[in-house]
């Protein structure tokens, strides 16, 4: 339904939703007296007509968006240390600044908490749309957030995002490149320190790792799952280096864990790269400040965030936005990778 040229009133919203003007008022003032299904129908009609009471009107207008939302299910301490999200958010902010729009950023403890938060943001018109990140397999956010009509862009592979407009990096191709590079150097015992198994992109990387190892005639390698922190990366590295037939190369799912792994290798007297090669995901300043510097999979995270923000504004404007990959991380070889001793 296209927006009318004359001013829309509460009477128009009530008529289109099949309710009384009083029901519209109750819905927008968050008072009892209407069911949740009726409330959401009223909100949907109001959005379609471009109507809202008083100061909320600008937020409902497709021509003006005051804020977009981003909820991240990570511990605050970890998020403050992780360069990826700092770069990603800076990319989003670069686009918002052009539009005099704000980012409403919140850390949550669970996906259920995020669902309630996003529903409240949208119900109270605090955001014009949201960026959804860290998708899980069978992600529980898809049905409830899709049901309220929240304009959203998903950061994740389409196999995880339930038909939402999505952008993603081609992690499977990047993992294959990393493994093939290490094998070309002569490594045969390669391990991977990954993120939580429930995260969709971790599962995609794990499957690509195993598939590439098998394609090259090697066993599936060792996988250890972590929570992305330096402490867990260090613990995983120590476990790998104490195991019989320890790996000669380790691929990490983020830079923090790789830096922690480098510290553990030094602590245990394992020389990098002469005895052990290390490769990090998401190249950052951290990878360039270590000694030796860390080989890494790199892509423009700032530009990635900017593309996500632009796509969200297109979605809010009602455009038909196709999902698309925006980058394939590429290998940046540095001093932390070399042939294993036996390839001497």
């Amino acid at each position: 339904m296209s927006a009318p040229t004359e001013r829309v009133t509460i009477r128009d919203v009530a008529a289109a939703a099949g309710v009384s003007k009083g029901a519209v008022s109750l819905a927008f003032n968050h008072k009892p007296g209407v069911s949740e299904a009726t409330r959401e129908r009223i909100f949907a009609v109001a959005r379609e007509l471009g109507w809202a009471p008083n100061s909320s009107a600008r937020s409902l207008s497709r021509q003006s968006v005051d804020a977009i939302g981003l909820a991240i299910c990570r511990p605050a301490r970890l998020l403050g240390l992780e360069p990826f999200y700092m770069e990603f958010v800076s990319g989003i902010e670069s686009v918002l600044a052009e539009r005099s729009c704000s980012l409403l950023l919140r850390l949550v403890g669970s996906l259920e908490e995020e669902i309630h938060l996003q529903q409240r943001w949208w119900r109270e018109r605090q955001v014009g749309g949201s960026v959804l990140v860290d998708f899980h397999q069978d992600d529980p956010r898809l049905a409830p957030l899709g049901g309220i009509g929240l304009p959203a862009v998903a950061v994740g592979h389409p196999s995880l995002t339930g038909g939402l407009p999505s952008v993603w990096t081609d992690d499977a191709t990047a993992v294959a490149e990393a493994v093939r590079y290490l094998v070309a150097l002569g490594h045969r015992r390669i391990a991977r320190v990954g993120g939580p198994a429930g995260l969709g992109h971790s599962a995609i990387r794990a499957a690509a790792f195993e598939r590439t190892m098998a394609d090259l005639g090697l066993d599936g390698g060792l996988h250890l799952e972590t929570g992305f922190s330096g402490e867990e990366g260090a613990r995983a590295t120590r476990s790998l280096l104490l195991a019989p037939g320890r790996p000669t190369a380790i691929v990490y799912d983020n830079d923090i864990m790789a830096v922690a792994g480098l510290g553990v290798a030094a602590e245990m007297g394992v020389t990098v790269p002469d005895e052990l090669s290390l490769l990090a995901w998401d190249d950052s300043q951290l990878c360039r400040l270590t000694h030796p510097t860390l080989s890494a999979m790199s892509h423009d995270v700032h530009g990635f965030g900017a593309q996500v923000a632009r796509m969200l504004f297109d979605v809010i404007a009602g455009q038909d936005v196709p999902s698309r990959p925006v980058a394939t991380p590429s290998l940046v070889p540095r001093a932390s990778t070399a042939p294993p001793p036996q390839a001497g």
Side-chain angles (χ1 to χ4, degrees):
M1 182 186 301
S2 59
T5 55
E6 54 187 40
R7 185 174 179 272
V8 177
T9 68
I10 189 173
R11 185 189 302 275
D12 298 321
V13 174
V19 297
S20 67
K21 290 192 299 181
V24 176
S25 179
L26 289 173
F28 273 90
N29 285 291
H30 312 295
K31 292 183 178 179
V34 293
S35 68
E36 190 61 29
T38 300
R39 190 187 309 273
E40 293 304 332
R41 186 170 78 253
I42 291 169
F43 288 160
V45 168
R47 286 194 297 274
E48 193 172 7
L49 294 177
W51 179 89
N54 303 325
S55 61
S56 300
R58 283 204 322 138
S59 296
L60 271 175
S61 170
R62 285 179 175 171
Q63 302 303 315
S64 176
V65 177
D66 292 329
I68 67 168
L70 171 62
I72 302 176
C73 189
R74 299 281 179 94
R77 181 170 173 270
L78 175 59
L79 191 68
L81 294 172
E82 193 169 37
F84 173 85
Y85 268 118
M86 297 302 100
E87 281 290 302
F88 181 72
V89 168
S90 74
I92 292 176
E93 288 279 14
S94 70
V95 174
L96 300 189
E98 299 170 357
R99 299 169 178 259
S100 298
C101 184
S102 300
L103 178 66
L104 192 54
L105 174 64
R106 185 71 57 83
L107 302 185
V108 295
S110 67
L111 295 182
E112 289 71 24
E113 183 182 345
E114 180 182 350
I115 291 169
H116 295 308
L117 175 68
Q118 297 280 6
Q119 288 172 330
R120 179 167 61 81
W121 277 351
W122 184 239
R123 183 172 63 245
E124 297 177 0
R125 301 300 178 264
Q126 295 186 48
V127 299
S130 286
V131 175
L132 305 179
V133 298
D134 285 343
F135 274 80
H136 291 236
Q137 296 172 334
D138 301 317
D139 197 286
R141 293 171 291 180
L142 292 172
L145 297 187
I148 63 174
L150 172 71
V153 166
V155 179
H157 192 272
S159 64
L160 305 167
T161 58
L164 286 173
S166 59
V167 289
W168 71 97
T169 56
D170 187 356
D171 288 2
T173 297
V175 167
E177 181 184 2
V179 172
R180 290 180 183 279
Y181 164 70
L182 292 171
V183 171
L185 289 177
H187 294 278
R188 296 297 180 268
R189 299 194 305 277
I190 304 172
R192 175 178 171 272
V193 177
L199 275 182
H201 69 262
S202 290
I204 287 171
R205 293 178 189 179
F209 181 84
E210 292 179 354
R211 184 169 59 250
T212 306
M213 292 285 284
D215 288 346
L216 295 173
L218 304 173
D219 64 34
L222 293 170
H223 288 270
L224 292 180
E225 297 162 357
T226 71
F228 291 124
S229 71
E231 291 85 353
E232 292 185 70
R235 187 179 305 116
T237 304
R238 193 172 291 110
S239 174
L240 289 169
L241 296 183
L242 288 172
R246 73 187 189 195
T248 61
I250 305 175
V251 179
Y252 295 85
D253 252 16
N254 74 0
D255 44 4
I256 295 176
M257 295 194 297
V259 171
L262 181 62
V264 168
E267 164 199 315
M268 297 179 65
V270 178
T271 305
V272 175
D274 295 339
E275 298 175 88
L276 176 69
S277 287
L278 304 180
L279 193 153
W281 201 275
D282 287 326
D283 189 19
S284 71
Q285 190 69 15
L286 285 179
C287 298
R288 298 185 287 274
L289 292 175
T290 59
H291 181 73
T293 54
L294 285 168
S295 297
M297 303 307 295
S298 177
H299 68 104
D300 181 3
V301 178
H302 177 94
F304 184 35
Q307 290 187 62
V308 169
R310 292 191 189 99
M311 177 181 276
L312 179 57
F313 280 110
D314 289 343
V315 170
I316 292 170
Q319 297 183 27
D320 185 14
V321 179
S323 297
R324 60 178 180 269
V326 297
T328 299
S330 57
L331 176 68
V332 179
R334 295 197 183 100
S336 68
T337 48
Q342 65 268 30

